[in-house]
Amino acid sequence: MEIRNNFLPCLRPVGGKEEIAALTQVIESGWWGKGPKVAEFEKEFAKMVGAKYAVAVTSATHGQDLVMKAMGITDGDIINPTISFLTTAVVPLWNNCTTNIVDVDRKNLNICPDDVKKSLKKNTKAIIAVNMAGVPAPIDELRKHFDGFILEDCAHSCYTPGAGSKGDVAVWSFQAVKTMPCGDGGMITTNNKELYEKLVPMTWLGIQSTFSRVNDGLTGKPGYSWDYSVDVLGQKCYMIDINAAIALEQMKKLPTNLEKRRYIQKRYNEDLGSYIETPTWSETVQYYCARVPAEHRTPLMDYLASKKIHTSVHFKPLHKYEITKQNRKYSVADSEWLKLISLPVHPAMSDEDINYVIYWVKEYFNKFK
């Protein structure tokens, strides 16, 4: 097969005339900050995932941090899985907590309930349960061992049916290569009205948003109320209308984009199943985390790169980083992460692209294994 002229990315966003039109509307409106588009996005997203309340923020990372602060979680122990992005291990440190990183299930790489049970401490205040690659974390099993606060990390599961419904609160990601990207952004969803009312002012230093103070805001009179009170210590991490406008268009395209991701997953599973270890089926296919013998991972990645195919690894275990290093063994993660290779999966891929990846993966193993 002839080698491509340009690289096939492992992940990428896909936008078009709809996003451009939405951005044009926002730019021409003069309302670029947190305004009507953010309010609309919060409402529509809450409806999509079946939550009562939604708070749009700048990232899922800020979302997790804001939840910790709103809940008053500090000076404790936070359990999180080692196969995850750095957010889940670092946010506890931001809140003066210890980050208690545990092992994962061998099959789906989600947090391991048995290891959680062994790792619980008297001062364990929360568990961050990641839906790895969109596969639901075993939250029901976790609750058999822990009756405290569980934050469901849905960064990879927008939208896996039922995602966000098991934890006490859920945090979502719209980062540039997620299933519903808007450049960057996040959402907190909850059914807890008290928590919601704490979170909203915390997104802007405790200040009521400018949009809410325009046209019958605090005074109940037409015009703009410039004055406000500040009763809570907050951050500055609210989403703006520029991002929300893109997110609203991506939400409309989400069913079609997820169908394409699942189609790619199905093709890989069927055509490469005898060459690689296929991952647990995912409804979002945020990543296609295949596994190959450890000694073949780097050579395979290099070989595919020579054929203009980008691959990646999701993820290097969190306990391997100096800042989050742990003094314990991880029998599953230490073995399995060395086998992980993420193959390209995104809505921009054509059948020709899919066939191209399949062909060169097969060629590698036919030649070198």
Side-chain angles (χ1 to χ4, degrees):
M1 179 178 286
E2 187 175 346
I3 299 174
R4 296 167 57 99
N5 292 323
N6 59 324
F7 264 99
L8 174 64
C10 183
L11 301 164
R12 62 155 290 184
V14 180
K17 60 182 181 181
E18 298 84 4
E19 286 81 5
I20 294 171
L23 284 173
T24 300
Q25 183 184 34
V26 169
I27 291 167
E28 291 178 347
S29 76
W31 202 288
W32 295 13
K34 181 182 179 182
K37 287 295 182 182
V38 172
E40 181 185 355
F41 182 38
E42 289 173 334
K43 180 181 177 182
E44 293 302 317
F45 191 83
K47 186 188 303 182
M48 182 179 80
V49 304
K52 291 182 180 179
Y53 309 105
V55 181
V57 289
T58 48
S59 69
T61 301
H62 278 139
Q64 289 196 18
D65 186 44
L66 214 62
V67 167
M68 293 282 185
K69 288 175 169 55
M71 293 294 298
I73 297 174
T74 186
D75 300 311
D77 175 74
I78 309 296
I79 292 177
N80 55 93
T82 193
I83 299 295
S84 176
F85 184 61
L86 273 166
T87 288
T88 50
V90 170
V91 166
L93 301 179
W94 287 354
N95 289 278
N96 201 36
C97 291
T98 55
T99 185
N100 185 353
I101 300 172
V102 300
D103 213 343
V104 294
D105 177 80
R106 194 237 168 255
K107 183 178 180 183
N108 56 37
L109 303 179
N110 272 321
I111 191 168
C112 175
D114 289 337
D115 205 34
V116 168
K117 183 180 179 181
K118 292 186 293 184
S119 302
L120 285 168
K121 299 179 181 178
K122 289 182 179 180
N123 69 335
T124 297
K125 294 190 175 181
I127 294 175
I128 301 174
V130 180
N131 298 332
M132 176 60 191
V135 178
I139 293 178
D140 288 339
E141 291 298 311
L142 295 177
R143 291 202 186 278
K144 293 178 181 178
H145 311 306
F146 179 70
D147 61 1
F149 186 77
I150 297 180
L151 189 156
E152 186 175 352
D153 184 330
C154 298
H156 306 167
S157 49
C158 183
Y159 178 59
T160 299
S165 65
K166 296 283 189 178
D168 295 292
V169 66
V171 176
W172 311 75
S173 175
F174 315 119
Q175 184 264 347
V177 296
K178 294 298 192 293
T179 52
M180 207 174 86
C182 69
D184 210 343
M187 190 77 78
I188 305 166
T189 56
T190 180
N191 292 326
N192 185 324
K193 184 179 181 181
E194 182 181 358
L195 176 59
Y196 169 73
E197 290 176 345
K198 283 184 180 179
L199 288 166
V200 172
M202 288 179 70
T203 63
W204 190 27
L205 304 170
I207 302 170
Q208 186 173 4
S209 74
T210 303
F211 177 64
S212 69
R213 290 183 280 114
V214 171
N215 298 323
D216 303 322
L218 290 176
T219 64
K221 299 176 183 179
Y224 168 61
S225 176
W226 62 265
D227 198 9
Y228 47 78
S229 61
V230 177
D231 306 311
V232 62
L233 182 63
Q235 300 185 16
K236 190 174 187 292
C237 57
Y238 55 81
M239 182 178 283
I240 63 173
D241 274 23
I242 289 172
N243 296 92
I246 298 173
L248 282 164
E249 295 305 318
Q250 285 289 308
M251 184 184 292
K252 297 172 188 175
K253 299 177 180 181
L254 185 61
T256 300
N257 287 344
L258 291 182
E259 185 178 350
K260 182 61 175 290
R261 287 175 175 272
R262 290 190 289 265
Y263 170 71
I264 297 168
Q265 176 178 229
K266 182 174 180 289
R267 288 290 316 279
Y268 285 165
N269 286 355
E270 290 175 349
D271 292 3
L272 294 176
S274 59
Y275 294 85
I276 62 174
E277 181 179 341
T278 59
T280 300
W281 181 266
S282 170
E283 291 299 310
T284 63
V285 207
Q286 171 60 64
Y287 309 111
Y288 187 86
C289 302
R291 274 177 264 191
V292 299
E295 66 271 19
H296 282 283
R297 185 177 70 180
T298 297
L300 173 59
M301 294 179 79
D302 290 345
Y303 182 79
L304 293 177
S306 74
K307 310 305 178 186
K308 300 294 182 69
I309 299 171
H310 273 152
T311 56
S312 189
V313 176
H314 295 96
F315 293 97
K316 179 179 177 179
L318 297 179
H319 69 270
K320 296 286 188 181
Y321 294 98
E322 189 64 33
I323 195 170
T324 51
K325 190 173 290 184
Q326 308 280 297
N327 186 26
R328 53 161 297 180
K329 293 182 179 180
Y330 295 81
S331 59
V332 174
D334 282 341
S335 168
E336 297 306 313
W337 91 274
L338 297 171
K339 307 172 186 177
L340 292 174
I341 175 173
S342 294
L343 298 179
V345 56
H346 51 80
M349 289 180 68
S350 64
D351 274 311
E352 183 180 0
D353 294 332
I354 300 165
N355 291 336
Y356 188 81
V357 174
I358 290 169
Y359 176 85
W360 288 113
V361 171
K362 285 183 174 181
E363 280 294 295
Y364 170 83
F365 284 111
N366 288 336
K367 286 183 177 180
F368 302 113
K369 190 174 180 182

